Amino acid sequence: MKGDRLDPKALIREAYRIEGITEPECRSIFMDWALSLPEGMEAAEALPALVARHAEAAPDHPMSGVLREGLAEGAGPRRRGGWRGRRGRA
């Protein structure tokens, strides 16, 4: 399935189409979405547009809550590879 720059794999769009989806499932999809963003794009940059696109039309959907939470926290997971990813581990 093809998405766009904000949702490259159409994960967020498809989450809204899954009947009976739960918040934990939405959190997992959100993690996958954040890790699939194009290089150079931060989750905080894409979230406002995704909230406007999806969450405003379906405010009670579990994914809407996850998107808003991500927006409020201002971040999603970040990829850290190489020595930066291992820094801080004991």
Side-chain angles (χ1 to χ4, degrees), residues 15-16 20-24 26-27 58-67:
Y16 278 91
I21 194 167
T22 64
E23 185 177 329
C26 289
R27 289 182 182 282
D60 296 331
H61 193 282
M63 183 56 87
S64 297
V66 171
L67 290 176

Side-chain angles (χ1 to χ4, degrees), residues 7 10-16 29-30 33 50 54 63 67:
D7 189 9
L11 296 171
I12 303 297
R13 181 180 68 209
E14 290 304 310
Y16 278 91
I29 290 168
F30 179 83
W33 164 80
L50 289 175
H54 299 291
M63 183 56 87
L67 290 176

Side-chain angles (χ1 to χ4, degrees), residues 28-69:
S28 178
I29 290 168
F30 179 83
M31 176 74 82
D32 290 344
W33 164 80
L35 293 173
S36 70
L37 286 172
E39 183 138 352
M41 176 177 273
E42 297 291 328
E45 177 185 345
L47 280 171
L50 289 175
V51 167
R53 181 189 295 175
H54 299 291
E56 290 177 6
D60 296 331
H61 193 282
M63 183 56 87
S64 297
V66 171
L67 290 176
R68 285 192 178 102
E69 185 178 321

